Amino acid sequence: MAAKYDLTPRIAPQLDRHLVFPLLEFLQERTLYPDEDMLKAKIELLNHTNMVDYAMDIHKSLYHTEDVPQEMMERRAEVVARLKALEEAAAPLINFLQNSSAVQELRADKQHNLQLLQERYQIGPDQIEALYQYAKFQFECGNYSGAADYLYQYRALCTNSDRSVSALWGKLAAEILMQNWDIALEELNRLKEIIDSKSFSTPLNQVQNRIWLMHWSLFIFFNHDNGRTQIIDLFNQDKYLNAIQTSAPHLLRYLATAFIVNKRRRPQFKDFIKVIQQEQYSCKDPITEFLACIYVNYDFDGAQKKMKECEEVIMNDPFLGKRVEEGSFSSVLLRDEFLENARLFISETYCRIHQRVDMGVLAEKLNLNYEEAERWIVNLIRTSKLDAKIDSESGTVIMEPTQPNVYEQLIDHTKALSGRTYKLVSQLLEHAQTQAAR
């Protein structure tokens, strides 16, 4: 079942191939697929990069040998030679950038800088282009720190807007791979501004850029301290939500999870449930189906079953299943938060429909034993999240009638609809009688 809900095959095509490595590492640790298949997938990925030494190590592990194919040795020689040539071509500019007193002469005006470099240091467009190619090559070799530094410096000198955006994507990938979440978030926001303001050749091209940005952002949002709020701010914007619904509905899993664990976003949550309702037949994911069970279909038995599936999905998702090690103890914090809030959603909605709830039935809906459920409800009432009291003798939770329940709200809506229908029919009859009298 776990592999059935693995989104890696859908997510990987939207990522730089280097960003796919952390996903494969996670899946290998979770043993979702045979180890041999994972090693083959890694080698296939590495064949399109310059990380030849890493590819050799995996080849040795896969085939249990110290020998590597001749083509790998030849490829390594090519990479070393190409790296040396690019380093020489970019050397004049790199040497300048390493001279702090010389760099202080640069200003915010790019044209001034280009003129200064040309006249005083004989550094022109060729050397600036060489810096970009060198940075890109370093990235392909897996030297993300060096690549990030050179791409930052390149963007300060680059006058080609398309190439500057390409360098920004590269720097974002490097910061993600180094797990520099604060810097990565800054680069992500820069890219978002460019994507939202830039004029693209076609609207489809702009949508594709938004799709890429959202996929890359998953690394940041599920690692950054404020990420769960930020993912709602980004994904729930109309332009981005439309892109998700038309081109990447699997991303609803992450937006739904953020809403479930983020209690401060309730006003936006109601609108999100409408999206879940629209997509419930096209997006088959346990986490979105869990919300549909509670808020669309009022199917609490279904929600209870989905909660168990959601737990497994979270444990085996590379973005949601991050483990936190504390001594010899290991836990997945998001799973614990998710289950706590999922039970809250079930109990709140179930109790608002039923004015008197049997504790045993509620325990079953929450996947808890009787004593755990009783403690959980007592704590819920104490923190004022639920207007209710417990009748220990009868073993029931009694809702306080502070607001109409779902059935009463439905009756009120029906009465209002009936009144409007009656008024409309009266107007039609009156109009018909007037016409007949003429």
Side-chain angles (χ1 to χ4, degrees):
M1 199 286 286
K4 175 185 176 184
Y5 292 116
D6 175 29
L7 294 181
T8 307
R10 292 191 203 177
I11 290 172
Q14 307 298 337
L15 301 175
D16 180 277
R17 56 176 59 94
H18 287 252
L19 293 175
V20 181
F21 283 112
L23 307 190
L24 296 184
E25 291 283 354
F26 179 92
L27 296 176
Q28 193 172 8
E29 284 175 17
R30 286 291 189 278
T31 62
L32 245 64
Y33 302 97
D35 199 53
E36 186 178 334
D37 291 351
M38 297 308 300
L39 291 171
K40 285 179 178 175
K42 282 183 179 179
I43 286 183
E44 176 61 30
L45 204 59
L46 287 165
N47 285 340
H48 299 280
T49 74
N50 294 331
M51 297 167 73
V52 282
D53 289 339
Y54 186 26
M56 286 178 180
D57 289 342
I58 292 176
H59 182 276
K60 290 172 186 176
S61 297
L62 179 59
Y63 297 105
H64 309 290
T65 177
E66 285 302 310
D67 297 325
V68 292
Q70 181 64 27
E71 58 264 28
M72 276 190 166
M73 298 298 292
E74 291 170 359
R75 170 84 176 123
R76 188 181 190 284
E78 284 174 22
V79 167
V80 170
R82 176 73 176 142
L83 182 63
K84 191 176 178 184
L86 287 170
E87 190 174 11
E88 287 173 3
L93 183 50
I94 291 171
N95 292 335
F96 167 82
L97 293 167
Q98 288 171 347
N99 183 341
S100 57
S101 58
V103 170
Q104 285 175 359
E105 297 179 54
L106 297 177
R107 299 178 192 168
D109 181 354
K110 286 188 180 181
Q111 290 303 327
H112 166 271
N113 294 340
L114 295 177
Q115 191 174 348
L116 173 78
L117 287 170
Q118 183 69 67
E119 291 176 359
R120 195 171 301 179
Y121 299 96
Q122 290 74 54
I123 294 171
D126 288 349
Q127 283 77 26
I128 294 171
E129 172 63 17
L131 181 67
Y132 174 79
Q133 296 298 339
Y134 182 56
K136 191 176 177 185
F137 204 83
Q138 287 278 12
F139 180 87
E140 289 300 331
C141 290
N143 179 10
Y144 305 125
S145 177
D149 288 343
Y150 293 136
L151 288 170
Y152 172 78
Q153 291 159 342
Y154 170 78
R155 289 191 73 241
L157 299 170
C158 173
T159 54
N160 180 321
S161 61
D162 287 344
R163 184 55 75 79
S164 179
V165 171
S166 176
L168 186 53
W169 279 106
K171 185 163 187 302
L172 173 60
E175 300 296 355
I176 288 171
L177 288 158
M178 290 188 291
Q179 301 184 13
N180 293 334
W181 305 122
D182 287 335
I183 300 172
L185 183 60
E186 289 173 16
E187 305 298 14
L188 184 82
N189 289 330
R190 283 193 184 93
L191 262 176
K192 180 185 180 296
E193 283 179 29
I194 292 168
I195 291 167
D196 290 344
S197 61
K198 187 182 171 189
S199 55
F200 285 84
S201 54
T202 66
L204 197 62
N205 198 343
Q206 188 173 35
V207 169
Q208 181 57 64
N209 272 264
R210 288 191 175 121
I211 294 292
W212 285 332
L213 191 76
M214 285 188 284
H215 280 86
W216 290 38
S217 76
L218 294 174
F219 291 94
I220 303 166
F221 290 144
F222 288 102
N223 283 288
H224 194 279
D225 291 341
N226 200 30
R228 298 172 199 179
T229 300
Q230 304 251 10
I231 190 174
I232 293 173
D233 292 341
L234 178 64
F235 284 30
N236 208 44
Q237 287 182 30
D238 286 344
K239 292 176 287 191
Y240 286 83
L241 196 53
N242 289 340
I244 289 173
Q245 288 183 266
T246 54
S247 305
H250 55 274
L251 290 178
L252 288 173
R253 169 187 291 183
Y254 302 103
L255 183 53
T257 301
F259 268 119
I260 290 169
V261 298
N262 196 326
K263 303 180 187 74
R264 292 174 294 173
R265 294 293 174 170
R266 285 302 175 85
Q268 294 162 286
F269 182 62
K270 290 176 183 176
D271 291 331
F272 179 63
I273 292 301
K274 293 174 188 172
V275 174
I276 293 293
Q277 189 169 8
Q278 291 166 5
E279 301 294 332
Q280 66 175 322
Y281 299 111
S282 60
C283 179
K284 295 292 182 185
D285 187 276
I287 293 175
T288 56
E289 287 173 332
F290 169 76
L291 289 177
C293 283
I294 300 175
Y295 293 104
V296 179
N297 307 320
Y298 299 106
D299 175 8
F300 297 99
D301 290 333
Q304 178 197 356
K305 290 172 187 169
K306 286 295 167 193
M307 196 156 69
K308 291 177 181 175
E309 287 182 31
C310 289
E311 185 176 3
E312 194 167 347
V313 164
I314 289 169
M315 294 296 289
N316 293 293
D317 184 291
F319 300 105
L320 306 179
K322 186 177 113 178
R323 287 189 175 276
V324 176
E325 307 289 339
E326 291 181 12
S328 59
F329 183 71
S330 170
S331 65
V332 176
L333 294 181
L334 195 74
R335 174 192 60 179
D336 301 336
E337 286 184 60
F338 182 95
L339 293 177
E340 176 72 13
N341 284 285
R343 291 187 183 109
L344 177 62
F345 284 17
I346 290 174
S347 61
E348 280 184 337
T349 311
Y350 190 81
C351 290
R352 282 186 180 133
I353 290 175
H354 305 87
Q355 286 191 312
R356 183 181 286 268
V357 181
D358 181 272
M359 188 71 80
V361 173
L362 190 57
E364 187 183 329
K365 304 291 180 202
L366 300 175
N367 288 336
L368 297 171
N369 63 40
Y370 189 93
E371 289 75 19
E372 287 173 333
E374 189 171 30
R375 282 197 301 272
W376 198 83
I377 290 292
V378 166
N379 186 53
L380 194 63
I381 294 169
R382 188 182 296 126
T383 54
S384 304
K385 292 172 184 168
L386 199 61
D387 294 318
K389 62 183 180 182
I390 295 175
D391 184 339
S392 299
E393 288 185 17
S394 62
T396 56
V397 180
I398 302 167
M399 297 301 297
E400 301 288 348
T402 54
Q403 60 181 25
N405 65 25
V406 173
Y407 293 142
E408 288 168 350
Q409 289 172 13
L410 191 60
I411 289 166
D412 289 343
H413 289 317
T414 307
K415 281 180 183 174
L417 185 62
S418 175
R420 287 198 296 273
T421 306
Y422 177 77
K423 189 175 179 181
L424 183 62
V425 170
S426 299
Q427 288 173 342
L428 288 170
L429 286 172
E430 190 179 320
H431 180 71
Q433 286 167 357
T434 305
Q435 292 293 326
R438 288 179 183 173

